[in-house]
Amino acid sequence: MSVSEPSSLIDAARRAREKAHAAFSGFKVGAALETADGVIITGSNVENASYGLTMCAERVAMFKALSEGHRGFVRIAIVANTESPTPPCGACRQILWEFGGDLEIVLANLSEPKGTYRLKDLLPLPFDARLL
Ligand code: THU
């Protein structure tokens, strides 16, 4: 799929959310990651009986994209069915930073956009390969 409008990216994240496997928390999340050349890769959270091996929607999207050979990303939309927006967890911020850099982070729920941020503002003083 190809897009350039954030609203299409949000729609893709909403559709991805419907595929979430959130059998334990019931908290479904969808993500849609846009590459520099306009391809959208989606993800949803995947929970499991051990709980701790749960993978968030954002990391599913990024790992899918990387494993399909995509490099270079511009933004990610994240959708949950909540009034307050759902920002990426700490682990996801680290992975998004390492592979996506200063992404635009678009938060939305099922009916409206809830805010746009830069990843560098959500993850100040990041650790990454430049420090190794
Ligand atoms: N979750 C995500 O997929 N992304 C977020 O940004 C926050 C949390 C998932 C993990 C777990 O399956 C459920 O939401 C509740 O934490």
Side-chain angles (χ1 to χ4, degrees):
M1 189 196 302
S2 231
V3 284
S4 45
E5 287 199 3
S7 61
S8 305
L9 199 67
I10 291 171
D11 283 343
R14 288 185 182 129
R15 284 192 298 274
R17 181 187 162 275
E18 292 166 11
K19 307 273 195 338
H21 181 70
F24 302 98
S25 74
F27 193 79
K28 295 184 171 191
V29 183
L33 177 65
E34 184 179 341
T35 71
D37 43 9
V39 178
I40 293 181
I41 312 291
T42 61
S44 61
N45 53 327
V46 181
E47 299 182 349
N48 61 91
S50 70
Y51 291 19
L53 295 178
T54 289
M55 189 59 63
C56 293
E58 298 91 319
R59 275 176 288 159
V60 170
M62 179 58 84
F63 291 149
K64 277 175 65 183
L66 293 167
S67 68
E68 291 172 10
H70 296 287
R71 299 291 185 273
F73 305 97
V74 292
R75 65 182 61 85
I76 186 168
I78 303 162
V79 167
N81 184 18
T82 52
E83 186 51 35
S84 298
T86 296
C89 77
C92 287
R93 292 178 198 203
Q94 179 68 29
I95 291 296
L96 292 174
W97 176 264
E98 287 206 49
F99 295 105
D102 188 24
L103 291 174
E104 188 173 84
I105 309 283
V106 180
L107 305 181
N109 64 18
L110 300 192
S111 54
E112 58 186 356
K114 291 301 223 171
T116 299
Y117 303 83
R118 302 303 308 202
L119 185 53
K120 71 175 169 52
D121 298 320
L122 301 185
L123 188 68
L125 199 61
F127 171 78
D128 61 35
R130 292 174 299 186
L131 301 176
L132 293 174

